Amino acid sequence: GENVEQHPSTLSVQEGDSAVIKCTYSDSASNYFPWYKQELGKGPQLIIDIRSNVGEKKDQRIAVTLNKTAKHFSLHITETQPEDSAVYFCAAFNAGKSTFGDGTTLTVKP
Amino acid sequence: GAVVSQHPSWVICKSGTSVKIECRSLDFQATTMFWYRQFPKQSLMLMATSNEGSKATYEQGVEKDKFLINHASLTLSTLTVTSAHPEDSSFYICSARDSGATNEKLFFGSGTQLSVL
């Protein structure tokens, strides 16, 4: 089955700096890669996603890049703000079945 | 965006009692919903796939008689934790996929914190 590895497990940045979280997947048939933000005591919220036929997608301060050959994808957050502090999960989907990474706790220090 | 409503947000119950958690898709129909369990500082663990009008599909190691799933309509799935014990205490989350969409986007409920005394 699919295996998704996410790094780092914790990330601390200064407000205004950029944050990058990386995920690798094992199944080359996976074709949909969403990123979720989860705040304490709440459910995950979709923040950006990318399909396998696209290499990069951007939405304001958030971007995702995908390298199908290397089987890895990354979340980039620029100009970080304290409200970006949360746990971020990546996931890889194949034929409707999803596999989640272990999560990254991002702390943005004012 | 699509909204998934999950209730209750938290529940405390006595050991041996049953607890029902509801997951509703508010503005779309969902033939498929998913139930997860999440321990503190860990990822989401898929428990089962809820299919409207048919039996749920449980992941390996999940007791189907303990975690009863009912998906009787296109907008509602329920998870009942039967004869709950302290080890069932956890954060339970549901998600749903829009049946009318061509993409695979999942929308999550806000989660239910279950504490069994």
Side-chain angles (χ1 to χ4, degrees):
Chain A
E2 175 67 278
N3 181 48
V4 176
E5 293 189 0
Q6 183 172 344
H7 298 281
S9 56
T10 60
L11 178 60
S12 182
V13 300
Q14 207 66 37
E15 182 177 1
D17 288 350
S18 295
V20 180
I21 303 170
K22 300 181 180 181
C23 285
T24 61
Y25 60 99
S26 60
D27 190 346
S28 56
S30 290
N31 57 7
Y32 174 62
F33 308 93
W35 285 90
Y36 300 92
K37 175 183 181 182
Q38 186 179 25
E39 297 177 339
L40 191 63
K42 297 184 179 180
Q45 181 181 26
L46 177 68
I47 56 171
I48 196 166
D49 56 6
I50 192 167
R51 296 201 65 85
S52 58
N53 59 347
V54 176
E56 185 174 356
K57 185 176 178 181
K58 188 174 181 180
D59 183 4
Q60 299 183 340
R61 298 187 296 110
I62 297 173
V64 55
T65 59
L66 171 66
N67 183 326
K68 280 198 309 180
T69 304
K71 294 203 281 288
H72 67 69
F73 56 110
S74 300
L75 175 70
H76 304 253
I77 306 174
T78 59
E79 300 172 32
T80 54
Q81 301 166 4
E83 50 265 38
D84 293 329
S85 297
V87 179
Y88 291 81
F89 291 98
C90 65
F93 281 55
N94 178 12
K97 189 165 178 65
S98 57
T99 304
F100 289 84
D102 287 339
T104 296
T105 301
L106 173 64
T107 302
V108 180
K109 295 179 286 187
Chain B
V3 177
V4 173
S5 175
Q6 185 174 342
H7 291 283
S9 56
W10 60 268
V11 57
I12 301 172
C13 70
K14 292 183 179 179
S15 188
T17 61
S18 295
V19 173
K20 181 185 283 188
I21 303 170
E22 291 190 349
C23 182
R24 292 180 185 274
S25 55
L26 296 187
D27 49 1
F28 63 97
Q29 294 184 332
T31 54
T32 304
M33 293 186 176
F34 303 90
W35 288 96
Y36 308 83
R37 186 170 179 177
Q38 187 177 36
F39 292 103
K41 303 194 181 216
Q42 292 190 24
S43 189
L44 288 78
M45 182 186 77
L46 180 66
M47 298 175 64
T49 301
S50 173
N51 304 296
E52 186 269 334
S54 63
K55 291 182 180 180
T57 305
Y58 290 82
E59 295 298 304
Q60 191 172 9
V62 178
E63 301 175 58
K64 61 180 181 181
D65 294 331
K66 174 131 186 97
F67 299 99
L68 299 179
I69 291 173
N70 184 281
H71 194 156
S73 79
L74 286 170
T75 59
L76 174 64
S77 175
T78 61
L79 168 68
T80 301
V81 183
T82 62
S83 187
H85 292 285
E87 56 265 32
D88 298 324
S89 298
S90 189
F91 193 58
Y92 293 87
I93 309 172
C94 70
S95 72
R97 179 176 296 137
D98 185 346
S99 305
T102 56
N103 57 54
E104 295 179 301
K105 290 187 178 184
L106 281 183
F107 301 97
F108 286 83
S110 53
T112 298
Q113 182 64 52
L114 170 63
S115 297
V116 184
L117 304 178

